[in-house]
């Protein structure tokens, strides 16, 4: 595709529900990142993949957060037993390789009620 | 701890003037620094990357400087236009990074005709 695609664009979840957020990176991009952005703040790093390998998950807030990229392309960020503090915009970005410009998707706005 | 600071107050500027934004950082020794633009409801869009051995970089009406002694980057928009209204984010790779970025909170620019 022409850019990074994320789905859904908006997700409302009841507290305690599990959610799965999808990211389709730009074809051929080796690196894939997930970020969390709260209102009025910059994106906060969650996790990083190089191909299918998850090289850094230091930013994941708790063990309720899990990300995968099994075939080195599409990635899914899963949040189990959602809490109100999980409400945020979740951004996915991809790049040709690490330390090059990152291309961001439009994000998924998650609201936990 | 590593910290990135950008002016939290919105910058209101008249069309045609130059907007200057500041990004200060502490406890980093970044190999490069990036600037992104973010519009409401959209993901950040890459604008410029400047490396530690470059003092200045230009792209059309944009100019970025990088002073590793002062630990500061300045971002200039010359001949500003209403379409330049957005939030501008600076981003740095943290120490021992695998390519992830840490972002400042961003500065909102509002250009009025």
């Amino acid at each position: 595709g022409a850019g990074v695609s994320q789905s859904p664009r908006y997700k409302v979840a009841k507290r305690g529900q599990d959610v799965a957020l999808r990211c389709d990176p730009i074809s051929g991009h080796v690196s894939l990142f997930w970020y969390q952005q709260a209102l009025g703040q910059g994106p906060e790093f969650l996790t990083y993949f190089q191909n299918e390998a998850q090289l850094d998950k230091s930013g994941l807030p708790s063990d309720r957060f899990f990300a995968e990229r099994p075939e080195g392309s599409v990635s899914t960020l899963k949040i189990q037993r959602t809490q109100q503090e999980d409400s945020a915009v979740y951004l996915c970005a991809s790049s040709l390789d690490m330390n090059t410009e990152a291309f961001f998707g439009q994000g998924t706005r998650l609201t936990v009620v | 701890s590593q910290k990135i600071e950008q002016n939290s107050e919105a910058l209101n500027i008249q069309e045609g003037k130059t907007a200057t934004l500041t990004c200060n950082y502490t406890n980093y020794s970044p190999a490069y620094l990036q600037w992104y633009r973010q519009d409401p409801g959209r993901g950040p869009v890459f604008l410029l990357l400047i490396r530690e051995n470059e003092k200045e970089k230009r792209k059309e009406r944009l100019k970025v400087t990088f002073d590793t002694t002062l630990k500061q980057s300045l971002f200039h928009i010359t001949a500003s236009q209403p379409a330049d209204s957005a939030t501008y984010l600076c981003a740095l790779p943290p120490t021992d990074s695998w390519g992830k970025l840490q972002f400042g909170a961003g500065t909102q620019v509002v250009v009025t005709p």
Side-chain angles (χ1 to χ4, degrees):
Chain A
V4 177
S5 177
Q6 291 188 247
S7 60
R9 284 280 282 130
Y10 303 93
K11 176 70 179 177
V12 178
K14 290 186 178 177
R15 193 158 57 96
Q17 188 179 354
D18 297 350
V19 298
L21 312 180
R22 178 187 168 104
C23 173
D24 278 275
I26 294 173
S27 178
H29 277 196
V30 169
S31 299
L32 185 145
F33 306 84
W34 284 98
Y35 288 85
Q36 180 190 61
Q37 187 171 27
L39 193 63
Q41 299 297 315
E44 294 280 342
F45 171 80
L46 293 177
T47 187
Y48 162 61
F49 290 85
Q50 187 162 349
N51 295 308
E52 68 278 3
Q54 189 174 21
L55 297 185
D56 188 338
K57 53 182 180 179
S58 62
L60 295 176
S62 75
D63 58 8
R64 297 186 295 104
F65 287 70
F66 172 75
E68 59 183 7
R69 193 186 186 198
E71 296 177 1
S73 56
V74 170
S75 177
T76 304
L77 176 67
K78 297 178 179 176
I79 309 173
Q80 296 176 323
R81 305 181 303 281
T82 52
Q83 304 294 316
Q84 280 192 317
E85 61 263 27
D86 300 335
S87 296
V89 174
Y90 290 85
L91 294 164
C92 175
S94 70
S95 63
L96 271 174
D97 203 345
M98 61 181 184
N99 298 324
T100 59
E101 65 178 279
F103 295 82
F104 282 82
Q106 291 196 347
T108 295
R109 180 177 295 279
L110 173 65
T111 304
V112 181
V113 297
Chain B
S1 62
Q2 296 180 326
K3 205 171 177 184
I4 302 171
E5 289 182 341
Q6 295 186 253
N7 284 352
S8 56
E9 284 186 22
L11 179 64
N12 291 284
I13 192 161
Q14 198 173 11
E15 183 175 8
K17 303 290 187 186
T18 297
T20 298
L21 309 178
T22 305
C23 174
N24 293 304
Y25 58 91
T26 53
N27 297 322
Y28 283 91
S29 296
Y32 60 85
L33 182 148
Q34 299 186 15
W35 282 90
Y36 287 78
R37 168 188 173 136
Q38 187 170 27
D39 292 281
R42 310 295 293 264
V45 174
F46 172 80
L47 295 175
L48 281 165
L49 181 152
I50 186 165
R51 301 193 184 279
E52 60 180 336
N53 59 348
E54 297 175 315
K55 289 205 179 315
E56 181 180 299
K57 202 151 189 185
R58 292 174 186 260
K59 179 182 174 184
E60 297 172 353
R61 294 183 295 107
L62 307 179
K63 184 178 90 170
V64 171
T65 62
F66 192 14
D67 189 325
T68 55
T69 303
L70 289 179
K71 296 188 183 295
Q72 181 182 79
S73 175
L74 299 179
F75 177 84
H76 306 271
I77 308 171
T78 58
S80 58
Q81 303 169 359
D84 296 327
S85 298
T87 295
Y88 292 85
L89 303 158
C90 73
L92 300 172
T95 306
D96 299 326
S97 167
W98 280 92
K100 70 188 183 189
L101 294 171
Q102 288 187 333
F103 285 82
T107 299
Q108 184 183 13
V109 172
V110 179
V111 182
T112 51

